[in-house]
């Protein structure tokens, strides 16, 4: 993989993927947006300073939710640790938030 990156990507390829990770949800459907974030994060696995483990990625996603979804999250979650905070599995947590986002539309 490293040789492939070296051959086809610029020497600053990781900056572009880092920018993707910093993109807030805005009007993008949650599932589409979070898949983009997760894919960029996987590509950054070799960059320890940029790659996020599941715990860090979850906090990161939570902070970058759209305003409407963020409010809905806070309403359902309640006081910390809230209902949503107790979902330990990242994939299940993402699926739950995706359903919330679908219901907002």
């Amino acid at each position: 993989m490293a040789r492939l990156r070296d051959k086809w990507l610029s020497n600053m390829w990781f900056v572009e993927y880092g920018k993707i990770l910093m993109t807030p949800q805005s009007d993008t459907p949650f599932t589409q947006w979070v898949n983009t974030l997760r894919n960029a994060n996987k590509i950054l696995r070799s960059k320890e300073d940029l790659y996020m483990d599941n715990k860090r990625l979850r906090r990161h996603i939570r902070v970058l939710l759209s305003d409407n979804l963020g409010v809905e999250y806070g309403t359902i979650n309640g006081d910390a640790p809230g209902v949503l905070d107790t979902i330990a599995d990242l994939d299940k947590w993402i699926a739950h938030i995706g359903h919330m986002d679908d219901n907002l539309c």
Side-chain angles (χ1 to χ4, degrees):
M1 186 68 159
R3 286 191 326 212
L4 183 64
R5 280 194 307 260
D6 291 343
K7 182 173 181 170
W8 297 105
L9 298 175
S10 75
N11 60 354
M12 297 295 286
W13 63 269
F14 57 90
V15 172
E16 293 304 315
Y17 287 96
K19 287 179 184 178
I20 292 170
L21 285 178
M22 299 310 297
T23 304
Q25 180 191 1
S26 300
D27 294 333
T28 307
F30 176 79
T31 303
Q32 177 185 342
W33 171 72
V34 83
N35 284 339
T36 301
L37 290 183
R38 291 181 90 182
N39 288 335
N41 192 49
K42 286 177 191 175
I43 291 169
L44 291 168
R45 185 174 290 267
S46 66
K47 297 288 186 186
E48 291 181 18
D49 55 332
L50 296 174
Y51 176 76
M52 292 183 252
D53 63 17
N54 284 349
K55 185 176 181 180
R56 188 170 160 212
L57 183 60
R58 181 178 172 146
R59 286 192 311 259
H60 185 76
I61 290 168
R62 171 64 185 95
V63 169
L64 295 176
L65 293 175
S66 69
D67 291 342
N68 289 340
L69 188 54
V71 168
E72 183 71 8
Y73 185 99
T75 300
I76 291 173
N77 196 47
D79 295 330
V83 175
L84 298 173
D85 296 332
T86 62
I87 302 172
D89 183 88
L90 181 63
D91 291 327
K92 289 180 182 176
W93 181 80
I94 286 172
H96 194 85
I97 306 305
H99 293 302
M100 288 170 43
D101 188 53
D102 293 343
N103 292 333
L104 287 175
C105 298

